[in-house]
């Protein structure tokens, strides 16, 4: 049962082959048995799950249908869940039970999805390896000595290990696409504003976006359908109708113009990954796509700009964790200043503290123009590069990451080495564009992802290309040994 995709589960439930309660029990037992190896969950919500599953079975018995009705999922532990711990991977919020559901959580629950638990993540979504979680590192099911990627490493490892078919995740600089690449999944970061951020604990508000992690493009379409849409509670959410993503899967790729940026194939890219990317290009050419070389001349400036903007916004967003209103409070504070200092010093881990300091520095009066303002100008140039490129091509294709998943601990003492791994993903966040990563092969037994980027609101186009690719390749069907 655990090998089924969301689409297969929907068919099985509709045909009464099994009930949502049976499926939920099977997966909860599997999580109890296997998760200790990979540490992908922070909290399990068995009672909630069984209650939701029973309600979904009753709705189906009363004639209701729907692709998510009775489907088991999990939420990255930065989506607020009412009455349930929402930790953001941090000691700071270990005792925090959210007083309300995030819009994404509420929408998926209304569609009948069953929440099995909350998944592990880098602390406050800062990281690319899921090693900064206060709840311990997550391990990659493809090789337990390697990282699963981050910050949505728990969601990715759980889905890759077949503990559940799909999970929610968020992507500020690559945290859906990079763990998808490292664990052989399909992950979609939607256009900024497509999915509500209400109740999604903020890291860098102008970059954060929620989206689906699943094994197939078909399943990403199903989960995105349940997540997307205008939300009056989120002033950056966009009031555009949500298309039928599943209906967009079947279009032909004949004549599709794919842009391949010259800058993507520079010295930093593992040549074995480059070869797999070229293979995926050939595959898409066979399906009728036309390849065109393009340029993204400002790509080289994206990492420095991102690592000014994201910490700047984080330093502001995380100022609310002050030991007073919610979250961790130090023991016996001597006075107010001591309360702030020790609550934040003891509650936040070292990567979060580093980013708060970098961000506060970049925003300070004497340095604002030199760092933050300059970074925002680069952001515009990066966006303009994409706008120029999309005048000539329909999608942009390249690697998701320069290297496959590294060994646990390999980059933990060198934060900049980890930042450099974000080179292919962060430009989409800076520009607000949708991006997808899908399985493209293996290097030394570790999965490799190919990334597709599209113009604003063209999530359907990304899903279409990925689905057609997956109908003609079998990388996405490969399963890690032992799971
Ligand atoms: N690795 C990037 C960072 O650490 C992206 C994280 C994310 O997308 N949440 O900021």
């Amino acid at each position: 049962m655990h090998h089924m995709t969301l689409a297969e589960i929907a068919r099985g439930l509709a045909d009464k082959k099994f009930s949502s309660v049976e499926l939920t029990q099977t997966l909860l037992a599997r999580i109890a048995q296997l998760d200790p190896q990979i540490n992908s969950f922070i909290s399990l919500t068995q009672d909630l799950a069984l209650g939701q599953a029973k309600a979904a079975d009753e709705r189906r018995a009363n004639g209701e249908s729907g692709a998510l009705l009775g489907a088991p999922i999990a939420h990255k532990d930065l989506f607020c869940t009412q009455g349930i711990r929402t930790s953001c991977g941090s000691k700071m919020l270990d005792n925090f039970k959210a007083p309300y559901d995030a819009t994404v959580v509420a929408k998926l629950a209304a569609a009948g999805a069953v929440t099995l638990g909350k998944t592990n993540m880098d602390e406050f979504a800062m990281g690319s390896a899921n090693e900064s979680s206060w709840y311990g590192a997550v391990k990659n099911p493809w090789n337990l000595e390697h990282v699963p990627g981050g910050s949505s490493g728990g969601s990715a490892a759980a889905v890759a290990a077949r503990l559940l078919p799909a999970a929610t995740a968020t992507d500020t600089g690559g945290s859906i696409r990079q763990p998808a690449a490292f664990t052989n999944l399909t992950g979609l970061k939607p256009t900024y504003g497509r999915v509500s951020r209400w109740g999604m604990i903020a890291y860098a508000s102008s970059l954060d976006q929620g989206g689906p992690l699943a094994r197939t493009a078909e399943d990403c379409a199903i989960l995105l359908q349940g997540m997307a849409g205008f939300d009056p509670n989120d002033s950056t959410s966009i009031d555009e109708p949500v298309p039928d993503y599943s209906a967009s899967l079947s279009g032909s790729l004949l004549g599709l113009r794919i842009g391949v940026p010259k800058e993507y194939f520079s010295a930093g890219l593992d040549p074995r990954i480059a070869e797999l990317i070229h293979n995926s290009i050939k595959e898409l050419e066979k399906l009728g796509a036309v390849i065109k070389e393009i340029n993204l001349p400002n790509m080289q400036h994206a990492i420095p700009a991102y690592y000014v903007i994201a910490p700047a916004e984080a330093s502001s967003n995380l100022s609310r964790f002050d030991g007073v209103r919610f979250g961790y409070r130090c023991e016996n504070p001597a006075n107010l200043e001591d309360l702030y200092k020790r609550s934040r010093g003891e509650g936040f881990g070292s990567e979060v503290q580093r980013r708060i300091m970098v961000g506060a520095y970049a925003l300070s009066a004497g340095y604002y123009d030199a760092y933050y303002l300059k970074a925002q100008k680069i952001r515009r140039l990066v966006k303009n590069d994409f706008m120029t490129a999309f005048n000539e091509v329909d999608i942009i294709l390249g690697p998701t990451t320069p290297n496959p998943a590294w060994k646990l601990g390999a980059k933990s003492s060198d934060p900049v080495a980890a930042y450099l791994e974000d080179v292919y993903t962060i430009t989409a966040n800076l520009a607000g564009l949708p991006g997808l990563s899908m399985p493209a092969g293996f290097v030394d037994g570790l999965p490799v992802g190919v990334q597709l980027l599209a113009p604003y609101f063209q999530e359907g186009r990304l899903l279409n290309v990925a689905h057609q690719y997956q109908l003609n390749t079998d990388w996405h069907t490969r399963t890690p040994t032992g799971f």
Side-chain angles (χ1 to χ4, degrees), residues 394-416:
D394 303 310
I395 63 164
I396 293 173
L397 180 148
T400 308
T401 62
N403 295 295
W406 54 88
K407 275 204 158 155
L408 283 151
K411 292 186 199 285
S412 35
S413 59
D414 185 356
V416 175

Side-chain angles (χ1 to χ4, degrees), residues 348-365:
F348 288 136
S350 57
E351 183 62 25
V352 174
Q353 293 190 27
R354 178 180 300 117
R355 301 219 189 174
I356 290 172
M357 286 190 284
V358 167
Y361 180 84
L363 289 177
S364 61

Side-chain angles (χ1 to χ4, degrees), residues 62-78:
N62 291 331
E64 259 190 76
S65 58
L68 287 166
L69 187 53
I73 58 158
H75 292 295
K76 184 174 181 179
D77 205 17
L78 53 52

Side-chain angles (χ1 to χ4, degrees), residues 76 78 121-122 124-129 150-152 170-179 203 207-208 306-307 310-311 351 355 418-419 421-422 425-426 429:
K76 184 174 181 179
L78 53 52
M121 54 180 284
D122 276 303
F124 283 98
M126 298 173 188
S128 320
S151 63
S152 313
T170 62
D171 191 311
T172 303
S175 285
I176 293 177
R177 291 160 288 155
Q178 185 253 21
Y203 161 17
L207 302 160
D208 296 343
Y306 173 89
Y307 278 98
E351 183 62 25
R355 301 219 189 174
Y419 301 168
E421 296 289 321
D422 296 337
T425 50
I426 51 175
N429 302 76

Side-chain angles (χ1 to χ4, degrees), residues 18 112 182 421 433:
F18 48 84
F182 280 9
E421 296 289 321
L433 293 167

